[in-house]
Amino acid sequence: MTNKITLRSDNMMMGLFALAILTMPIWLMPIGASYPDLMQKFAIFGIFAIGFNILFGLTGYLSFGHAAFLGVGSYTAVWSFKLLSMNVVPAVIFAVIVAGAFSFLIGFISLRRTGIYFSILTLAFAQMSYNLAYSVLTPITNGETGLQLAKSDPRVIDGLFVEAGAGIPSTNFFGIAMSGYSGFYFCAVLLIIGFYISLRITRSPFGMMLKAIKSNQNRMSYTGLNTRPYALTAFVISGMYAGLAGSLLAVTDPLAGAERMQWTASGEVVLMTILGGVGTLLGPMLGAVIIKYFENIFSAFNETLLNNIFKLPAGRAAGGRGFRCRALRRRRLAPDARYSLHDHRDLPARRAGRGRPADPRLCRKEAAEEDFRSPPTANR
């Protein structure tokens, strides 16, 4: 009976989630987030966060290196566009496979440690991948310029069935261009599939084993169970989700750069998962939408707009010396402080008493500096 209720609730959740994703252009219109490029980011980074939650939310292993798999997925997809076809299906498939193999190598080494040591190892591997993309692997990644499409690319499969055009072709799904709303709905369908797989993993015996590892891994080991294969499998699945997200970034924009492998991208997915709720099903998707929406809003801010909002003069906005001096003058001193900014006339006498020459022109400046260095004393 309990299993039937759980299955019914899961099917209802799945239906509501699919309905919400497919109708995003409608209910996001009032807040100005219904244009395709932004919704594509919602779907892509939702996939990234859902996959990361399988590792972090179920097993408790916090990875700071998932951006490496995102970058590997992007590079693999662009190479598929250059060598095989502009069809997105081979690119997505190869990206998931290569990212899964790369995550297996990193996870096999990193999962020898737990806790903060595991997190540092994953961060080290991600930064190593980032630096290699700029140096040794430049023939593959094209270094700082990034991997881009060119008209001279072979595209073996397209050469057999499609006539070459005048310019660089665009990505497509069996003839449907992956731009605008068609590109969003392609990402949305993959997001729904990814969410369903995550739901099935969470409800499966494998998911229960992952939760047990998070609860008390030492106790699981004491029973004679080897928990490492389960954790490694979760790590690989999570890396494959990241590779899928990276391939979709290349689908919507056929360009792959090493900046997608930087540690900031790994920190971003951690924030998405924590903001939405670690270990929940809908939380990572919600966190991805919130962060990308506000990122889109704040990216339009510039110095002029900030000055108009907060009514700051140029000196204050730039943090000039005049602002510091005015703030210093407004500083409130205790009644029994040694002196205030207004008794600068007594400063020459105090300095002369210490055997130092008095210069009235510097009294006000030195009074301000001496008062800034010496905090006011409390009332006795």
Side-chain angles (χ1 to χ4, degrees), residues 156-205:
V156 178
I157 298 178
D158 284 352
L160 298 176
F161 302 100
V162 181
E163 294 183 0
I168 299 176
S170 59
T171 57
N172 64 85
F173 178 69
F174 298 105
I176 302 175
M178 290 290 97
S179 61
Y181 285 102
S182 58
F184 159 69
Y185 279 110
F186 178 77
C187 298
V189 170
L190 292 180
L191 171 62
I192 295 172
I193 296 174
F195 180 79
Y196 178 76
I197 295 174
S198 174
L199 178 63
R200 291 296 93 206
I201 290 175
T202 304
R203 299 287 191 254
S204 67

Side-chain angles (χ1 to χ4, degrees), residues 27-316:
W27 57 269
L28 286 178
M29 189 177 297
I31 60 175
S34 60
Y35 54 95
D37 291 343
L38 183 58
M39 291 190 297
Q40 286 172 1
K41 289 184 178 180
F42 291 162
I44 293 171
F45 284 92
I47 293 173
F48 192 18
I50 289 173
F52 181 79
N53 186 61
I54 294 176
L55 178 66
F56 183 36
L58 295 184
T59 67
Y61 281 90
L62 176 58
S63 170
F64 287 137
H66 258 54
F69 313 132
L70 185 76
V72 167
S74 294
Y75 281 120
T76 305
V78 175
W79 272 113
S80 175
F81 294 145
K82 293 172 69 68
L83 299 178
L84 299 179
S85 171
M86 293 302 293
N87 194 312
V88 298
V89 175
V92 169
I93 294 175
F94 282 117
V96 171
I97 294 174
V98 174
F102 188 58
S103 61
F104 177 82
L105 295 176
I106 293 181
F108 185 79
I109 300 174
S110 301
L111 286 170
R112 295 176 181 270
R113 295 293 180 264
T114 58
I116 188 62
Y117 305 104
F118 168 80
S119 302
I120 293 175
L121 276 174
T122 55
L123 177 61
F125 278 115
Q127 286 302 104
M128 181 179 66
S129 304
Y130 171 74
N131 291 326
L132 287 175
Y134 274 126
S135 56
V136 180
L137 299 179
T138 299
I140 299 176
T141 62
N142 203 25
E144 297 181 356
T145 307
L147 192 61
Q148 305 177 17
L149 299 179
K151 186 179 179 181
S152 58
D153 293 333
R155 299 188 189 90
V156 178
I157 298 178
D158 284 352
L160 298 176
F161 302 100
V162 181
E163 294 183 0
I168 299 176
S170 59
T171 57
N172 64 85
F173 178 69
F174 298 105
I176 302 175
M178 290 290 97
S179 61
Y181 285 102
S182 58
F184 159 69
Y185 279 110
F186 178 77
C187 298
V189 170
L190 292 180
L191 171 62
I192 295 172
I193 296 174
F195 180 79
Y196 178 76
I197 295 174
S198 174
L199 178 63
R200 291 296 93 206
I201 290 175
T202 304
R203 299 287 191 254
S204 67
F206 173 72
M208 296 298 294
M209 185 65 69
L210 297 181
K211 293 178 182 178
I213 293 174
K214 179 181 180 181
S215 177
N216 197 323
Q217 187 173 0
N218 291 331
R219 182 175 295 177
M220 297 287 293
S221 301
Y222 292 155
T223 62
L225 179 67
N226 186 10
T227 60
R228 190 180 174 194
Y230 294 95
L232 181 58
T233 303
F235 192 90
V236 171
I237 293 174
S238 182
M240 294 172 73
Y241 270 81
L244 174 61
S247 68
L248 293 179
L249 287 175
V251 166
T252 56
D253 183 14
L255 172 67
E259 66 277 357
R260 292 177 182 173
M261 308 173 75
Q262 204 169 10
W263 66 269
T264 52
S266 299
E268 191 175 24
V269 72
V270 174
L271 291 178
M272 291 175 183
T273 308
I274 294 176
L275 179 62
V278 178
T280 61
L281 290 170
L282 296 174
M285 179 63 200
L286 181 62
V289 171
I290 293 174
I291 287 183
K292 286 302 171 182
Y293 174 69
F294 283 102
E295 179 184 283
N296 178 70
I297 293 178
F298 294 144
S299 64
F301 285 11
N302 52 32
E303 184 178 354
T304 304
L305 181 60
L306 291 175
N307 293 343
N308 293 334
I309 293 175
F310 296 102
K311 308 297 182 183
L312 293 179
R316 295 191 180 190

